Amino acid sequence: MSNSETKEATLRQLYTELNKHCASADYDKALKAANKIIGLDATEWKAAKCKLVCLIQSGKFMEVLKFLERGTSIPDTTFEKAYSEYRLNRPEDAYRTIQAVVNGPEQWAGLAPNLQELLAQILYRLERYDECFELYRTIIKNTHDDYDDERRANMSAVAANLAGSGLAPTNLPEDTYELTYNAACALAGRREYGEAERKLRTSEKLCRDSLEEDGATEEDIIDEITIIKVQLAYCLQMQGRVKEASALYADALRHKTNDAALTAVVSNNLVVINRDQNVFDSRKKMKVATSKQAEQKLTARQRKTIAFNNYLLTYYASPAECGVLAGRIANAHPELEFQALLVRASVLARDKKYREAIDLLEGYAERLPADRADELLQVQFALVQLQLVAGNRKAAIETLESLGEERYQPGVVSALVTLHLGLDNKQAASEILRSAVEWYKRQKSGSAISDADLSDMWRQAASFHLRGGQPETAAKSLEELLRTHPNDMKLLAQLVIAYAQFYPKRAQQASKRLPALETLTTVSEIDALEATNWMMIAKAVRRKQPGAGGRTTGDQSPGVGTPSADQQQQLVRKQKRKKRKGKLPKNYIIGVQPDPERWLPRYERAGYRKKRDRRVKEVIKGSQGTASGQADQFDMSKAYNQTKNSPATPGASGVTQLEQIAAAAAATRQLPRKNQHKKKKGGKH
């Protein structure tokens, strides 16, 4: 047998072996067979194609790219190369590989179906959702096979990501749990969290029922439901139901899902709930959220949010690291440079380094280009806050007045007026309000400012100027208000008051538009006001006689204020009402005079005797131990008899002796009561 025949027989045998291994999905043995074929003949492109498929099925994407770089005889390897780059998390390279085949989106319809499916996935990873949605719409229109449900689910996922931009369609089907879940995500993107919560609970029930019908295990069901519960927890958190959200997040972490992106999102949201509490636990969770494995699966918006939350956590956990981490955030996410700068200024302000914080913000403001006016405005507001915290009101006023036309914003006007009044500069506050009113009159329209904000500002300006004695300026504000609120009689009355101070004729003309007094108050209202007890003293209420109609007075002459029939019946019923007798003591005896000392304390009654304290020796017992003169002095009976038998003679002080005795007795009754029940130190009572 010749060499060519031997080679052909060997190739035939190897192809048979390769076909058998591919049919049994034994890709390692199939790869060995393909390598043998390529070793015998490098032009065998079918074997090379099988080698690429085996490498892809084995997850060896880097070897696929290396094999293609060496050059092969395979006719078209666009799909294999782009797919390998996509799986290696290089979507930009994969997009360029496919773009080399076509000349723009207008030719995407001419791609092979597998390349269209792959391109849609690449566009989704690149977050070009509008182009991705249009491509999926084309694929679904032109393709009909067993994967239609997956394509519809992917298209609804793209629509959910478009919800925040307002370009998402709202008529997507919801007949599967995936479609219902994506519809709920779209509602959450539009901040309709209540409706999103309802759809997520429906999706959870549909998911469980569908998987149970397919015979899935409980572990697989929980793994599929976890992502729905995490999204539900997010909706609850945004509605302020933090405890319910925390419980769902904890369950998701306890399940230990293999989805790194889901774990990162849960960890980040728990850190947000913790805020400045449980900092140690938050740092562990943030370490999981910022891992490389998670970053590959997260979208750019999610990565940016997690990075900034990590920086905010550093503000609470380790303020010294804020300066280092700010530079990293600015390099990775340039759009977060300003937010990182604010955190650094906050760290300096917390350490009372206000001058350094102000210099930091002023230096950043000088570097800002003219097209970033919104960011410059935020910097200036941050400077005002720092200046106020430092106690420098004048500098804060200067910063606000340097805002140009932005200083006529209602909030800025209010701040300036408050600061000027705090410095007792009423003239400057009045000038701020006057210039703001004039500016809005020139603008004719409030631009982005609502009419409600302007109305409130004009009301405050009118009241301020009326109190400050500037009726002309107040009248201008009230005139502007009446243009938008022509039926507000309170404003019209204020305008009449303002006109009356400098233009009486116009005040008289304006007062004609006020309603008549008869339309504002009626006779019945006047009677009701006069009948209210809180408007009169009790004596006037008793004297007042209600009449059948008209006003009543205190005059009781007949014919004025005649009571009605109902009122007469009430008076008769009141007169017939019997007076209830008072209660008598239980031991009361009729006809016996009560004790006149019944209201006196016991120790002040005549028959009260003090208990003797045996431990205290009696100092005075009769005449023992005292002189005779002293005994007479303390014997009150003698003094009483003497005054009784002799006429009252004025003493040296002008007070009779009997009055002295009475005063002494009264003074004795007014002495404070001594504690009669002292506890003995020993023995029985």
Side-chain angles (χ1 to χ4, degrees):
M1 183 180 293
S2 63
N3 292 334
S4 59
E5 292 176 351
T6 304
K7 179 180 178 181
E8 185 177 350
T10 304
L11 288 174
R12 191 180 301 111
Q13 181 181 357
L14 290 173
Y15 269 114
T16 303
E17 184 181 352
L18 176 62
N19 187 35
K20 182 181 69 172
H21 293 319
C22 288
S24 61
D26 192 350
Y27 299 111
D28 291 336
K29 293 181 179 180
L31 180 61
K32 293 179 181 179
N35 285 330
K36 290 179 181 178
I37 295 173
I38 295 171
L40 286 175
D41 189 353
T43 60
E44 289 292 332
W45 64 270
K46 292 183 179 179
K49 190 84 168 181
C50 288
K51 179 179 179 177
L52 290 177
V53 173
C54 292
L55 290 173
I56 289 173
Q57 292 291 343
S58 301
K60 301 176 181 179
F61 305 109
M62 188 58 69
E63 294 185 18
V64 171
L65 296 179
K66 291 180 180 179
F67 179 70
L68 293 174
E69 286 176 0
R70 290 196 296 266
T72 61
S73 58
I74 305 174
D76 185 15
T77 59
T78 302
F79 177 81
E80 289 79 6
K81 182 180 180 181
Y83 183 76
S84 298
E85 291 170 339
Y86 170 76
R87 292 298 303 273
L88 289 171
N89 199 29
R90 290 155 56 180
E92 295 85 359
D93 296 341
Y95 180 75
R96 284 192 290 268
T97 299
I98 296 177
Q99 280 295 99
V101 181
V102 295
N103 294 323
E106 60 278 358
Q107 296 184 7
W108 285 350
L111 288 172
N114 59 347
L115 277 176
Q116 286 184 350
E117 301 270 5
L118 177 59
L119 180 59
Q121 292 288 339
I122 293 170
L123 291 172
Y124 183 83
R125 182 70 63 84
L126 292 174
E127 301 181 29
R128 297 165 63 172
Y129 300 119
D130 49 351
E131 300 176 33
C132 182
F133 185 81
E134 293 299 328
L135 182 57
Y136 265 123
R137 182 178 288 176
T138 303
I139 294 172
I140 291 173
K141 185 186 297 183
N142 300 328
T143 308
H144 301 283
D145 53 22
D146 296 336
Y147 297 98
D148 283 343
D149 290 341
E150 284 79 358
R151 295 188 187 96
R152 289 166 58 206
N154 290 345
M155 188 172 71
S156 64
V158 177
N161 284 278
L162 283 171
S165 62
L167 302 175
T170 56
N171 54 351
L172 294 176
E174 301 178 16
D175 50 353
T176 64
Y177 75 89
E178 294 99 336
L179 293 172
T180 307
Y181 169 79
N182 289 331
C185 292
L187 289 170
R190 294 193 292 269
R191 300 185 179 183
E192 300 177 18
Y193 302 112
E195 185 66 19
E197 177 190 352
R198 187 184 65 79
K199 288 188 182 295
L200 286 169
R201 296 190 186 278
T202 304
S203 174
E204 180 182 354
K205 185 178 182 304
L206 290 174
C207 178
R208 179 171 287 278
D209 295 343
S210 176
L211 294 179
E212 285 177 353
E213 289 179 3
D214 295 342
T217 63
E218 184 64 22
E219 185 71 19
D220 294 337
I221 293 174
I222 293 175
D223 192 47
E224 190 72 15
I225 286 177
T226 299
I227 188 171
I228 302 176
K229 287 189 173 181
V230 169
Q231 191 67 19
L232 176 62
Y234 167 75
C235 292
L236 294 173
Q237 182 179 356
M238 297 305 293
Q239 294 180 78
R241 298 155 66 180
V242 179
K243 290 186 178 180
E244 300 176 55
S246 298
L248 291 176
Y249 287 142
D251 289 341
L253 290 180
R254 198 178 299 115
H255 178 62
K256 295 183 179 180
T257 178
N258 295 325
D259 192 343
L262 186 65
T263 305
V265 169
V266 171
S267 301
N268 173 78
N269 292 357
L270 282 172
V271 170
V272 174
I273 290 175
N274 289 339
R275 294 183 179 271
D276 56 342
Q277 305 295 324
N278 301 325
V279 176
F280 181 74
D281 180 66
S282 296
R283 297 202 74 172
K284 291 195 299 183
K285 287 182 171 57
M286 191 54 70
K287 188 175 182 180
V288 174
T290 54
S291 63
K292 291 183 178 180
Q293 183 181 4
E295 287 186 356
Q296 294 178 356
K297 301 290 184 68
L298 295 170
T299 64
R301 182 175 60 86
Q302 291 172 331
R303 289 194 298 270
K304 181 175 68 174
T305 303
I306 291 175
F308 185 65
N309 286 338
N310 184 31
Y311 187 49
L312 285 178
L313 180 61
T314 307
Y315 171 77
Y316 294 112
S318 179
E321 299 179 11
C322 285
V324 179
L325 198 57
R328 298 178 186 174
I329 289 181
N331 293 332
H333 307 282
E335 63 274 13
L336 291 177
E337 182 182 4
F338 173 61
Q339 286 80 357
L341 189 74
L342 287 180
V343 176
R344 287 183 60 192
S346 300
V347 172
L348 293 172
R350 188 169 64 178
D351 296 337
K352 300 188 183 305
K353 299 178 181 178
Y354 303 116
R355 187 65 262 170
E356 296 181 23
I358 291 172
D359 292 341
L360 182 67
L361 292 177
E362 287 178 347
Y364 180 77
E366 293 176 357
R367 299 194 307 269
L368 282 176
D371 57 344
R372 296 167 68 177
D374 293 340
E375 193 169 329
L376 178 61
L377 186 62
Q378 296 179 43
V379 174
Q380 289 172 320
F381 283 143
L383 282 171
V384 170
Q385 184 175 358
L386 286 173
Q387 289 162 349
L388 290 175
V389 171
N392 194 350
R393 294 185 183 180
K394 292 184 178 180
I397 291 173
E398 292 176 359
T399 304
L400 289 175
E401 289 180 344
S402 66
L403 296 178
E405 292 189 348
E406 295 295 336
R407 68 192 181 99
Y408 296 117
Q409 297 279 345
V412 179
V413 171
S414 176
L416 282 171
V417 170
T418 303
L419 291 173
H420 280 302
L421 291 178
L423 295 175
D424 199 19
N425 192 351
K426 295 182 180 180
Q427 183 63 30
S430 175
E431 183 63 26
I432 289 291
L433 288 170
R434 188 193 60 77
S435 60
V437 171
E438 293 294 333
W439 186 81
Y440 281 114
K441 287 177 66 177
R442 290 195 303 270
Q443 295 298 316
K444 300 295 183 184
S445 62
S447 62
I449 304 172
S450 65
D451 292 337
D453 292 337
L454 293 180
S455 298
D456 185 60
M457 189 187 71
W458 274 322
R459 287 178 191 272
Q460 297 297 332
S463 300
F464 182 83
H465 288 126
L466 278 176
R467 292 194 306 268
Q470 299 179 358
E472 296 185 20
T473 309
K476 294 179 181 179
S477 300
L478 292 169
E479 287 170 356
E480 291 294 332
L481 275 172
L482 281 172
R483 290 177 185 174
T484 56
H485 304 81
N487 298 323
D488 194 334
M489 294 297 103
K490 184 178 179 181
L491 292 176
L492 183 58
Q494 286 181 318
L495 183 60
V496 170
I497 294 172
Y499 281 153
Q501 299 182 42
F502 70 95
Y503 203 158
K505 187 175 180 181
R506 184 175 292 182
Q508 188 175 6
Q509 293 175 354
S511 64
K512 294 178 181 178
R513 295 166 52 191
L514 289 171
L517 183 62
E518 291 76 10
T519 62
L520 298 177
T521 57
T522 61
V523 176
S524 60
E525 292 175 350
I526 296 173
D527 292 340
L529 286 173
E530 291 184 348
T532 50
N533 294 346
W534 58 271
M535 292 291 291
M536 306 181 186
I537 60 175
K539 187 175 181 181
V541 173
R542 286 196 300 270
R543 189 171 66 249
K544 185 178 181 302
Q545 295 292 335
R551 300 176 63 182
T552 61
T553 64
D555 187 8
Q556 301 299 325
S557 58
V560 179
T562 306
S564 63
D566 294 340
Q567 291 172 342
Q568 289 178 356
Q569 291 178 2
Q570 290 178 3
L571 289 172
V572 172
R573 196 180 300 115
K574 204 169 185 180
Q575 291 173 358
K576 289 183 178 180
R577 188 178 300 165
K578 294 183 179 180
K579 188 175 182 180
R580 189 171 61 180
K581 295 182 179 180
K583 292 184 178 180
L584 297 174
K586 293 181 180 179
N587 55 356
Y588 175 70
I589 302 173
I590 300 175
V592 178
Q593 186 70 16
D595 185 8
E597 296 182 350
R598 62 188 183 277
W599 304 118
L600 295 177
R602 182 178 296 179
Y603 69 92
E604 292 183 6
R605 298 180 186 179
Y608 177 73
R609 294 180 62 186
K610 295 183 180 180
K611 294 182 179 180
R612 292 178 60 189
D613 192 350
R614 296 177 181 177
R615 294 174 298 177
V616 180
K617 295 182 179 181
E618 296 287 348
V619 178
I620 301 175
K621 289 186 178 180
S623 60
Q624 297 179 9
T626 61
S628 59
Q630 291 178 339
D632 294 339
Q633 180 183 354
F634 289 102
D635 191 353
M636 294 298 150
S637 61
K638 293 182 179 181
Y640 178 77
N641 295 330
Q642 183 180 358
T643 56
K644 184 177 181 181
N645 299 327
S646 61
T649 57
S653 60
V655 182
T656 61
Q657 192 173 4
L658 181 60
E659 291 173 344
Q660 291 177 353
I661 295 171
T668 304
R669 286 198 301 270
Q670 293 173 1
L671 288 175
R673 182 180 179 183
K674 294 183 180 179
N675 189 4
Q676 300 293 337
H677 304 285
K678 292 185 179 179
K679 187 176 180 181
K680 295 183 179 180
K681 293 186 179 179
K684 296 182 179 180
H685 292 285

